[in-house]
Amino acid sequence: MIFGPPNDFREKSNSYRAVGELRRLIFAGELSPGSDHLETELAERLGMSRTPVREAALMLEAQGLVEVRPRRGIRILPVSPEDMQEIYDILTELEALAAARAASAPAGERDLSLLERSIEDMDAALKSEDRQAWADADERFHSELVRLGGNRRVEAITAMMADQVRRARAMTLYMRPAPVKSHEDHRGVLEAIRSGDAEAARRIHHSHRTEAGAMLIALLRQHRFHQL
Amino acid sequence: MIFGPPNDFREKSNSYRAVGELRRLIFAGELSPGSDHLETELAERLGMSRTPVREAALMLEAQGLVEVRPRRGIRILPVSPEDMQEIYDILTELEALAAARAASAPAGERDLSLLERSIEDMDAALKSEDRQAWADADERFHSELVRLGGNRRVEAITAMMADQVRRARAMTLYMRPAPVKSHEDHRGVLEAIRSGDAEAARRIHHSHRTEAGAMLIALLRQHRFHQL
DNA sequence: TTACTCTTTAATGCATACATTAAAGTATGC
DNA sequence: GCATACTTTAATGTATGCATTAAAGAGTAA
């Protein structure tokens, strides 16, 4: 599930459909963090038998999203500010690595258009004060950066964490100051990549993520989001 | 499987036994990289029915160790030098993070004895020219460092990659020069942690892993280990 | 031969049955 | 009332059966 290109059968297979469906339910808040759910219950809800649900639960457990506790149900793992700190720490390192690698790649083989596009979109969103649009573009920037880094495992790991980050960010989106500094950072990273300066790309992105993470965690704590 | 403390039921359950058993078979070389295996075949081999084997395969797939290809069998994923480079890049960043975090922790809460012990063991192994003992102690050093870093997700990710690294290192253990430089690096990291110098710990460990990784990859390529 | 279609084979995905056993509930003794 | 032993319940872990369908093989025409 984490690794490898999605084979087409995964779309047809109930097991993988269950993985996607459960992820969706979790992040839509329909399966709330900390709640327990019996295999039978979820199976009925998804309109399939226990087998594929069970398989999906095990895969989601391997991804750290749920915990399978025999006879007590499948628990949707809550994410505390401490968890979010862990996640941000990892994203900071791996994305900074990706930025450095993206800058090291031969200029000819790089297509920075998506990166540029996402920055433009953030720019527009900033001007029209559309925070959701900004957040969407920001997410595109980060995932495209990781893609340019060219490390499939980094892509897999960061993608796995993306959903949880998105949820935390959604909660604090309107509490934080306007992301003007972020915007400068993004431009700085792009420029460093374009000019092939790997260490600058790494450094700028690293401090960008570090600051953004610190702010997010502080907001979560301030607003007493002890679990989400 | 990746995350969370191992509940006791996992030892009893055939599914989790199958995960461990399959891992063992893979790294013992009994299931060679690139080979395909039908669910039925593995089930018979492990003395259980297809169900737990199937579940184990899905969990191992989530960990990136195998690929489940319907009707073609469970494929043991080969690891190329490029894959090993990806893995080392990630380990470099995450272990360097762990070193920094370990150095930042209050001195009173740190127990560096295991770290010291592993360095002493490496020292002894170096003198008696016992490379396997050195490699074992080295692995203990790295895993203990990650533990001290205090990020459970980093622990999970690095643990997941440890087996694959071990295999690659085993192949090159007797080809590389004596690990004298490594030894200095380890001492340097320990001293930086002890004195609470997070940035030094990070920097030294980062360059240590970078160099060790570059050497390993070069050896793999030299000796034409295109997949392992 | 090669390309194409049809048939056969068998591995899988899923549903289901059932034994096991943890947890909840009940009864008993103090 | 409270703790302990016993009974009941029901969720799980695993085996198994079967329909589906990809892949292999056979047959046919060029």
Side-chain angles (χ1 to χ4, degrees), chain A residues 97-107 110 148-149 189 192-202:
Chain A
L97 167 67
R101 286 283 180 276
S104 305
R110 272 188 320 231
L148 288 169
V189 172
I193 292 174
R194 191 177 275 140
S195 63
D197 187 342
E199 280 321 303
R202 176 195 291 273

Side-chain angles (χ1 to χ4, degrees), chain A residues 23-41:
Chain A
R23 278 191 94 88
R24 199 186 58 70
L25 287 173
I26 291 171
F27 292 111
E30 297 194 42
L31 300 176
S32 55
S35 60
D36 293 318
H37 305 273
L38 300 178
E39 293 178 0
T40 316
E41 174 209 325

Side-chain angles (χ1 to χ4, degrees), chain B residues 140-214:
Chain B
R140 285 209 309 283
F141 178 87
H142 286 270
S143 74
E144 177 61 10
L145 177 67
V146 166
R147 211 188 54 73
L148 288 168
N151 184 318
R152 312 273 305 191
R153 286 167 174 79
V154 168
E155 287 183 60
I157 294 169
T158 54
M160 198 167 90
M161 298 177 162
D163 288 322
Q164 308 193 35
V165 169
R166 190 180 311 122
R167 186 160 57 168
R169 289 176 45 137
M171 310 206 65
T172 57
L173 191 56
Y174 296 95
M175 302 166 183
R176 55 171 294 183
V180 177
K181 171 64 164 59
S182 279
H183 200 247
E184 290 168 27
D185 291 339
H186 290 145
R187 287 210 177 283
V189 172
L190 174 61
E191 280 319 307
I193 292 174
R194 190 176 276 140
S195 63
D197 188 343
E199 280 320 303
R202 176 195 290 273
R203 181 169 29 79
I204 298 171
H205 194 81
H206 197 280
S207 78
H208 165 56
R209 263 300 198 191
T210 303
E211 288 164 23

